[in-house]
Amino acid sequence: MENNPSSVTGHAAAPKSQSTSIWSSHKLPLAAMLIAIAFSGTLLAATGRWIAVTEPDSASYIDFDWSSLERIFSGIRTPLYPAFVQLAESTLGLSAIPFLHFVMMMLAVLSFYVGLTAIGFRPWAAAASAAPLCFSRGLWDFGARIGSDALGIAMGIGCVSFFLMAISTYSPRHAPTKSPTQSLLKASFSTRTSIAIVGWVGLGCWTLASILVRPAYLFLIPLWPCLAITTLPFLWKRTWKEAVHTALKLSLVSVLPLLAYCTIRWTVVHEFGLVSFAGYNLIGITGQYVEPSDVDHLPQKSRELAQRLIEVRERAGFSPSAYDYRSMVDLYNKTAWETAAPASESIYGSDTKQANQALQSLAISSLCLHPMEYIFWLRSNGWRMLQQLVRGAVMDVGSRISLCLLAIWGGILAIQRVSKPKPSGGIEHQPPNANSFRIVSFELGTLVWISLLFAAAKGLLVVLVEPALGRYVVAVGCFFPACIGLFAGLLAKRISSEP
């Protein structure tokens, strides 16, 4: 039986035509993304933000002890950011770290664009959401510092991107009854499945990598199942069975790599956990509550450390006030690193594992003795964080650029409409159809919910064990500029459609 040449040609041309259509729908959004990346890099370089800055805690990354597995796993730092610093130092030099932070952030932003289009965002809406993150405060405020803050934010954005790819097959925008979208997954079901697989694998690896860069990102472990159990049934109208099944898979994918790492660490240093650091965080708060009258009420193993802490604090002239939030913030680092750390070193020497365990025990015991003081801290710290989140979202460079572009676009259209005479008889304006409203609701609802749940999970961890300082709050609200960018883009689109 002979093949029909025209039939063969038609089948060969279909994928090519489809591929060309997908590429044409992404050319302008990707060009806009590249312009935003170039503009961000130019502004950072012009304002001196590509000049490396050494902070007091930079030495713990630069001078990380790589002499043995025991030293690697028993330190107060997880090894991935020190490895990043070591790689930079041995290749481009420490002075290149701000540039490398920038590169990692831009890769994360591009992956975020891919993740959004994977779930069905229109390309221009995905670009409007992702482009503001090119100007993230994580880069502007902390990108030049030799510290894990900027890289941690970039890793967090990358994790959300992989999460979106992993759950993309459940998106209502890919349901057979819906009209085709211009997403990257429009080509075929096999392509969709391939990107979902990349998402699942990437999510497991990148979540662990984010935590090993910055242990404060442990909140990602419960975040993924929480997002699935809420997003799928309530926003995407999927069944509860699908939501629970996906949440369980997300839990396994994120937990198993972490358990494997903790197991390896246990075999080396005989401590099951991520890092010997948790006690240093909490003692900065509850260590301020410790008074001489508390010593006899503490567990026996914590009494000597509490007495040493009080002695060091008295010699240094510290006078904490448990109901003065501003004073507690000012004394947080002094309590943790100039009081508690020397007190523990005087007992345990350089054994950071034992020192951390002792500090953690004392911190929890002190909290139990002073619950009302800790409640005051949570209330004050939470309110302080909310204030900074609102101010930071509005004052973020990406947010301001989005709003400025919206204002410029609105002004241009207004001038055109004033100068252009209306046709006689007029044209009746057609309201947006139901499908357009569903698309806008899907895009805005999904991005806002992810941003809010990310902020709630990260923010809760910060409020519990650290003061709401800028370096912590920036990571909490890192996706809010994306919401402002999307809102500005949707509003600009709406204005453009007005007669």
Side-chain angles (χ1 to χ4, degrees):
M1 181 177 180
E2 294 184 358
N3 289 328
N4 187 337
S6 62
S7 175
V8 173
T9 303
H11 284 297
K16 183 177 180 181
S17 174
Q18 194 174 53
S19 175
T20 302
S21 174
I22 294 174
W23 167 243
S24 64
S25 67
H26 288 278
K27 281 193 299 186
L28 288 179
L30 285 174
M33 293 283 294
L34 293 177
I35 290 172
I37 290 172
F39 188 38
S40 173
T42 302
L43 289 178
L44 289 168
T47 54
R49 287 180 168 86
W50 277 3
I51 301 173
V53 176
T54 302
E55 295 289 324
D57 60 349
S58 298
S60 61
Y61 300 113
I62 299 172
D63 301 327
F64 190 82
D65 191 347
W66 298 98
S67 60
S68 67
L69 281 177
E70 185 175 359
R71 298 303 300 170
I72 290 172
F73 287 119
S74 62
I76 63 172
R77 300 294 185 192
T78 45
L80 200 50
Y81 190 75
F84 176 85
V85 172
Q86 181 72 26
L87 179 63
E89 186 176 17
S90 60
T91 54
L92 302 176
L94 290 178
S95 60
I97 285 181
F99 173 72
L100 295 177
H101 285 163
F102 172 79
V103 170
M104 292 297 293
M105 182 66 77
M106 296 309 107
L107 290 175
V109 170
L110 290 172
S111 71
F112 188 54
Y113 173 86
V114 174
L116 291 174
T117 56
I119 63 172
F121 271 52
R122 293 164 290 180
W124 67 264
S129 305
L133 301 185
C134 294
F135 307 90
S136 168
R137 286 185 62 202
L139 279 180
W140 281 76
D141 294 352
F142 311 110
R145 302 182 184 183
I146 301 178
S148 60
D149 300 273
L151 184 59
I153 293 172
M155 300 287 285
I157 294 172
C159 281
V160 171
S161 307
F162 284 122
F163 169 79
L164 294 174
M165 294 179 206
I167 66 168
S168 61
T169 52
Y170 294 106
S171 171
R173 293 279 283 153
H174 301 310
T177 56
K178 304 294 182 184
S179 59
T181 73
Q182 293 296 323
S183 80
L184 290 175
L185 300 187
K186 165 173 105 164
S188 66
F189 177 78
S190 60
T191 305
R192 236 181 290 181
T193 304
S194 298
I195 291 188
I197 292 172
V198 169
W200 284 105
V201 175
L203 182 65
C205 297
W206 219 242
T207 298
L208 177 62
S210 301
I211 294 169
L212 293 183
V213 164
R214 193 157 178 79
Y217 281 79
L218 268 170
F219 74 93
L220 294 174
I221 299 292
L223 175 63
W224 308 135
C226 287
L227 275 172
I229 210 75
T230 52
T231 301
L232 266 59
F234 294 111
L235 293 179
W236 292 7
K237 307 304 179 185
R238 311 300 293 202
T239 65
W240 278 101
K241 181 179 179 181
E242 290 174 315
V244 172
H245 183 250
T246 304
L248 290 174
K249 288 196 297 182
L250 288 165
S251 298
L252 289 175
V253 163
S254 55
V255 168
L256 290 179
L258 180 63
L259 287 178
Y261 176 84
C262 292
T263 301
I264 294 171
R265 187 170 176 269
W266 176 74
T267 61
V268 176
V269 297
H270 308 294
E271 181 185 46
F272 190 84
L274 182 64
V275 66
S276 299
F277 192 71
Y280 290 90
N281 275 339
L282 188 56
I283 199 67
I285 300 168
T286 61
Q288 299 188 48
Y289 304 149
V290 179
E291 297 293 340
S293 57
D294 295 335
V295 175
D296 293 337
H297 301 285
L298 292 170
Q300 187 65 41
K301 62 180 180 180
S302 297
R303 292 180 183 179
E304 182 182 3
L305 178 58
Q307 190 62 50
R308 296 282 183 93
L309 185 150
I310 293 169
E311 292 171 359
V312 174
R313 186 172 65 195
E314 288 177 348
R315 286 199 301 269
F318 299 163
S319 54
S321 177
Y323 289 101
D324 183 347
Y325 174 73
R326 187 67 260 171
S327 171
M328 288 195 67
V329 172
D330 292 339
L331 293 178
Y332 175 82
N333 282 326
K334 290 184 177 181
T335 301
W337 301 108
E338 298 179 28
T339 305
S344 63
E345 287 173 6
S346 67
I347 301 173
Y348 303 103
S350 59
D351 190 338
T352 55
K353 184 180 72 173
Q354 292 248 15
N356 176 69
Q357 291 173 349
L359 289 172
Q360 190 171 12
S361 176
L362 175 59
I364 294 173
S365 299
S366 176
L367 187 155
C368 293
L369 290 176
H370 300 274
M372 297 310 297
E373 288 90 335
Y374 188 64
I375 291 173
F376 169 81
W377 165 265
L378 293 179
R379 187 175 68 248
S380 303
N381 207 31
W383 176 241
R384 174 66 175 168
M385 174 172 286
L386 288 175
Q387 291 176 312
Q388 290 191 73
L389 284 174
V390 173
R391 184 165 58 249
V394 176
M395 298 304 294
D396 186 272
V397 177
S399 299
R400 286 185 283 177
I401 290 176
S402 299
L403 296 175
C404 285
L405 290 175
L406 172 63
I408 292 170
W409 180 243
I412 292 172
L413 291 178
I415 293 172
Q416 287 179 341
R417 287 165 184 163
V418 169
S419 59
K420 186 177 180 180
K422 292 183 179 179
S424 59
I427 300 176
E428 185 178 353
H429 174 58
Q430 297 294 329
N433 57 40
N435 188 53
S436 297
F437 179 76
R438 283 196 298 268
I439 294 172
V440 170
S441 299
F442 163 77
E443 291 171 341
L444 198 56
T446 298
L447 184 59
V448 169
W449 183 244
I450 288 174
S451 303
L452 287 175
L453 215 55
F454 185 97
K458 171 67 172 166
L460 179 62
L461 186 62
V462 171
V463 167
L464 288 173
V465 300
E466 294 168 326
L469 301 175
R471 59 181 299 196
Y472 307 129
V473 178
V474 166
V476 173
C478 64
F479 284 102
F480 289 155
C483 297
I484 294 176
L486 177 59
F487 176 78
L490 292 171
L491 193 55
K493 188 78 170 178
R494 176 65 178 158
I495 294 172
S496 301
S497 65
E498 293 288 345

